[in-house]
Amino acid sequence: EEIKTVDISIVVSYCDKSLSWIVEYIGKDFSVKDIAIYSKCGNSDIEGLQQLKELAPIVDVITLPNVGRCDHTFAYWIKEHYKSIDQEMNGNDIVMFLKDNMRYRDTYGIDHVLTQASNSGFGCLIPIGCPCDQCREDGLHATNQQRRDLVLRTKKKTYHREERDDGTGFVSDKYANLGEWKEDMGFIIPESETMPVCYRGLFAAQKKQILNQSEGTWMKMETSLSRGNNIEEGHYAERIWGAILSDVDNETARAVDEVLSHYAASISNGVGCGFKAMKYVKISPEVKSSIAL
């Protein structure tokens, strides 16, 4: 019940899809303080806007250039609000970072996401799936913890998921991989074998976790994600939100590694079984939930 008294801010990256899913997902039992909708595709007629105005007393619509997708939007909000965050006064408030494109059938419930954010600083809306037959046959479960070394070696050569995607200028000539981008931004994350990864650009975090990184680092991130619309750096950002916004130090991160080591399982044939960096465990769904992986 305590989570229902925590003040919530909602940040929405908007292009052209209905936002009505947000009201349906969150419901009316939580204390939504304000909503900021960042319109990036020139659409002024926002479906679901009136419903959002009934959800929160403050709803602002701000126009931004169409760059960097949702990750730029989130970095922009953080940059603009960094100085207003106070560790004691509003540090435990939660920010939900969302986008208009909600096409994923499986999501964690709002109670789960907000509880995770309150307990560990960060909560991911989208569960990691185990998409191959071997997972189902062997009772394996994919976790949000993924191999740090492989995640930081991420390099994408192209990306065209939407018809509107333009691959021109997608690849960054400046960075060889995510690790180089992370170092240039100045992000600090724990030293451990694994790191939390949240895909799809839908997550929540305590405001005080934003202070884990310097204001200059957030400013540099926002600038980096302004290079274009469909850019490689956005995929780097997607993979690092969980690590830079979680309330985890080196000792805690290594403790997570230790827990995983007791349940770790391998995929003999990785074809169709997700990302190479993914960590699989062989435990019951109940145990998986109890250790919040």
Side-chain angles (χ1 to χ4, degrees), residues 69 154-161 165-175 224 227-236 239:
R69 302 291 174 88
T154 296
K155 176 70 177 177
K156 293 187 75 71
K157 297 180 180 179
T158 185
Y159 185 76
H160 298 281
R161 190 172 65 191
D165 288 345
D166 179 2
T168 305
F170 173 82
V171 175
S172 170
D173 295 330
K174 188 175 182 180
Y175 307 108
S224 172
R227 182 175 67 82
N229 177 21
N230 181 29
I231 57 174
E232 187 176 20
E233 291 90 331
H235 296 268
Y236 295 161
R239 286 158 173 76

Side-chain angles (χ1 to χ4, degrees), residues 143-160:
T143 75
N144 287 92
Q145 290 295 127
Q146 305 201 354
R147 281 184 52 186
R148 174 194 173 109
D149 60 330
L150 294 182
V151 172
L152 294 182
R153 292 209 298 269
T154 296
K155 176 70 177 177
K156 293 187 75 71
K157 297 180 180 179
T158 185
Y159 185 76
H160 298 281

Side-chain angles (χ1 to χ4, degrees), residues 216-228:
T217 292
W218 292 117
M219 293 173 68
K220 197 164 186 178
M221 181 188 200
E222 191 268 335
T223 298
S224 172
L225 295 171
S226 299
R227 182 175 67 82

Side-chain angles (χ1 to χ4, degrees), residues 33-47:
K33 189 169 95 176
D34 55 80
I35 300 174
I37 302 168
Y38 290 92
S39 180
K40 306 188 81 168
C41 300
N43 295 310
S44 58
D45 185 14
I46 303 175
E47 185 179 346

Side-chain angles (χ1 to χ4, degrees), residues 13-48:
S13 186
Y14 172 74
C15 182
D16 56 11
K17 303 292 189 298
S18 172
L19 301 182
S20 59
W21 77 266
I22 296 174
V23 177
E24 295 169 6
Y25 176 75
I26 294 176
K28 298 183 178 180
D29 294 332
F30 297 93
S31 177
V32 181
K33 189 169 95 176
D34 55 80
I35 300 174
I37 302 168
Y38 290 92
S39 180
K40 306 188 81 168
C41 300
N43 295 310
S44 58
D45 185 14
I46 303 175
E47 185 179 346

Side-chain angles (χ1 to χ4, degrees), residues 67-81:
V67 294
R69 302 291 174 88
C70 62
D71 302 287
H72 169 266
T73 302
F74 304 157
Y76 180 88
W77 185 93
I78 291 172
K79 181 194 75 171
E80 293 295 301
H81 291 79

Side-chain angles (χ1 to χ4, degrees), residues 82 174-175 178-190 210-222 224 240 244:
Y82 190 91
K174 188 175 182 180
Y175 307 108
L178 191 161
E180 285 194 8
W181 180 80
K182 165 197 165 291
E183 291 299 315
D184 190 40
M185 296 302 103
F187 287 122
I188 299 172
I189 63 175
I210 291 170
L211 304 180
N212 290 346
Q213 315 297 331
S214 72
E215 183 179 13
T217 292
W218 292 117
M219 293 173 68
K220 197 164 186 178
M221 181 188 200
E222 191 268 335
S224 172
I240 208 168
I244 61 180

Side-chain angles (χ1 to χ4, degrees), residues 2-19:
E2 287 184 9
I3 196 64
K4 295 184 178 179
T5 65
V6 175
D7 285 337
I8 299 170
S9 296
I10 298 176
V11 180
V12 183
S13 186
Y14 172 74
C15 182
D16 56 11
K17 303 292 189 298
S18 172
L19 301 182

